[in-house]
Amino acid sequence: MTAISAEGRTSRAGQALVALGLAAGPVVALGFTRFAYALLLPPMHRELHWSYAQAGGMNTANALGYILGAASAAFWARRSGGRSAFLWSLAISAVALLATAATADLTVLLALRFAGGFSTAVAFVVGSALVSRIAVGAPQRRSASLVAVYMAGVGIGVVISGLVVPAALSSGEAGWRMGWLLMGVLAVIALVPAWLGARAVPEASGAHASTLPAAQLRRLGPTFVWYVLFGAGYVSYMTFVVALLRSQGLGASTTALFFVVLGLSSVVATLTVWGRLCGFLRAGLAPALVAVLVFLGVLPVLLMPPGPGAALLSAVVFGAGFMAGPTAATVIARRMLPHAVWTAGIALLTVAFSVGQAVGPLLSGLMSDGEGGIARGLWLSAGLLALAALAALLQREHPAS
C-alpha cells in the first residue's frame, strides 16, 4: 500500500485498501477477543463448572481492561506514535489469545481477559483515529465511508469466528482450548495487513491533545450516555445469546450459522448503509436509529417460538445494526471535535462504551442465574437499548471549533 499524502490525494481505491488493512484491528479486538467468547462460553461454562455470573464476569474483566486501555490510548499514541501503538497493542492481543488456550484457572483466565481488553482497546481507539486521518479534508460522507470499512472488520472477525470456532469445538473436551489457540494464530496473521495499513497513514502533525476539554466533553453529553447504555445492552446479548439458543435446543451447527449470518449482516450493512447514513444524519439521529434497530434485533429470540427462524431473523436484524454504534460514535467525534482532539474524543467515547460493556454482562449474568434464566437477562439488554435510543435523541449538532 502506498503512503497517503497529507493532502489526501490517494485514489479512492487506495484509501479503501488502507482502511481495510487497518480493519485487521477490529477483526482481532472485537471479532476475536470479544465476540468469539460467545461461541466458546457454553463449553467453558459446562466443562469448567461456572455459574452464569462467573461467565459474565469474564466479559466484565475484559471490559474493565478495555476501559483502562481506551482511557490511556491517546497517551500511548502520543508517546510512541499512532502506528507503533496500534501494532504493538495488536501483538499483545494476539499473545493474550494464545495464552488463554493454556489454562483452565479462573483467576488466570480473568487476568488474560483483562489484559486482552486493555490491549485491544488501545488498538481499536488508535486505529479509529488512524482511519479518520486517511482522508483529512475530504467530504464528510467520504470519511464516514472509510470509517465504515474499518468497522466492517468486526463483522469479518465474527464470520471467521463462526466458521473456525465450531470446527475447533468438534475436536472434543479440549475444543475450547483449540478455539482460543486458533483465534490467537489468526490474530498473529492479522498483524500483516495491519502493518501494511498503518504504514500508509502519516503520523499526526502538530500538537495533539491527550485529553478532551470540559466544554467539548459537555457538548457530547447525550452521546456519552447513549454509548454507555448501548454498550451495556448490545454486549449482554452478544455474551449470552448463543447460550440461550443452545438452551432452547438448537444444535452447534445452527448456532454457528447464526454467528456467521450475524457477522455477514454486519459487514454488508456497515459497508453499504451505515457509512453513508452516519455521514448524512446530523445530531443524535444516527445513534438513535442504531439503538432502535439493535433493540428490534433482540426481540425475535425472546418473543418468537424457539427455532432456527427466530435465531436467524435476530442475527440479520441485530447484525445489521450492532457495529453501526462505533461507526456513528467515530463519525460524531470527527464531525463535532477539532482535529487535534480526535484521538482523545474517540478514546473517551470508547471508555463510555466500555463502562457499559463492563456492567451489562455482569448484571445480565446475575439475572440469568435467577428465575427466568437467560431470557430474563436478555430482556435487560432490550430495555437498555431502548433507553439508549431515547438518550441519543437529546444530542444536538455542534460544529467543530
Side-chain angles (χ1 to χ4, degrees):
M1 296 180 190
T2 57
I4 298 172
S5 67
E7 294 79 12
R9 289 192 294 263
T10 301
S11 68
R12 284 174 173 262
Q15 291 174 345
L17 280 174
V18 173
L20 189 60
L22 294 172
V27 168
V28 175
L30 295 175
F32 294 169
T33 302
R34 176 60 59 86
F35 297 139
Y37 176 62
L39 287 170
L40 292 160
L41 186 154
M44 294 180 77
H45 173 261
R46 180 180 64 253
E47 294 168 24
L48 301 181
H49 309 292
W50 288 348
S51 67
Y52 282 117
Q54 288 174 314
M58 285 281 286
N59 252 9
T60 295
N62 184 261
L64 289 173
Y66 209 87
I67 291 171
L68 294 178
S72 61
F75 166 79
W76 295 114
R78 186 169 182 168
R79 177 173 179 174
S80 59
R83 288 177 294 193
S84 293
F86 177 67
L87 293 171
W88 275 110
S89 57
L90 275 184
I92 293 170
S93 302
V95 172
L97 287 168
L98 291 169
T100 302
T103 181
D105 184 89
L106 179 62
T107 302
V108 177
L109 287 171
L110 287 169
L112 288 170
R113 290 292 284 166
F114 177 89
F118 183 95
S119 59
T120 55
V122 175
F124 185 74
V125 170
V126 176
S128 298
L130 288 174
V131 79
S132 294
R133 291 207 300 271
I134 291 175
V136 174
Q140 180 63 43
R141 293 185 192 180
R142 176 59 185 162
S143 177
S145 295
L146 293 172
V147 171
V149 171
Y150 175 78
M151 295 300 174
V154 180
I156 294 170
V158 170
V159 171
I160 294 172
S161 300
L163 294 173
V164 171
V165 172
L169 294 178
S170 66
S171 63
E173 290 186 3
W176 66 266
R177 293 181 186 269
M178 181 60 69
W180 286 114
L181 179 63
L182 289 175
M183 291 297 99
V185 170
L186 290 171
V188 172
I189 296 171
L191 288 171
V192 176
W195 174 74
L196 291 172
R199 73 170 188 162
V201 182
E203 289 289 0
S205 58
H208 283 252
S210 58
T211 59
L212 194 64
Q216 293 167 344
L217 183 64
R218 285 193 299 271
R219 69 172 53 177
L220 291 178
T223 296
F224 279 97
V225 174
W226 158 75
Y227 220 14
V228 171
L229 294 169
F230 182 80
Y234 104 95
V235 85
S236 297
Y237 172 95
M238 285 297 294
T239 300
F240 291 110
V241 66
V242 172
L244 174 68
L245 298 178
R246 295 302 298 269
S247 73
Q248 292 176 342
L250 274 67
S253 59
T254 303
T255 54
L257 177 62
F258 163 87
F259 221 65
V260 171
V261 169
L262 188 149
L264 287 173
S265 180
S266 174
V267 172
V268 172
T270 302
L271 290 176
T272 62
V273 177
W274 289 111
R276 296 177 182 178
L277 201 57
C278 290
F280 174 76
L281 295 176
R282 290 296 184 258
L285 290 178
L289 184 60
V290 170
V292 169
L293 183 62
V294 176
F295 164 78
L296 293 174
V298 177
L299 297 183
V301 295
L302 295 174
L303 297 178
M304 292 175 64
L312 294 179
L313 177 61
S314 182
V316 170
V317 178
F318 187 96
F322 85 107
M323 277 318 297
T327 302
T330 302
V331 170
I332 284 177
R334 191 185 189 279
R335 188 173 69 236
M336 296 194 192
L337 297 175
H339 179 266
V341 294
W342 279 355
T343 302
I346 293 169
L348 283 178
L349 282 167
T350 306
V351 169
F353 193 39
S354 304
V355 168
Q357 291 181 93
V359 174
L362 185 59
L363 292 178
S364 186
L366 289 169
M367 292 181 69
S368 297
D369 281 327
E371 185 178 351
I374 305 173
R376 186 184 179 201
L378 289 186
W379 274 114
L380 172 66
S381 173
L384 291 169
L385 290 165
L387 291 174
L390 294 175
L393 291 175
L394 299 176
Q395 180 65 59
R396 296 293 177 261
E397 185 73 17
H398 297 282
S401 59

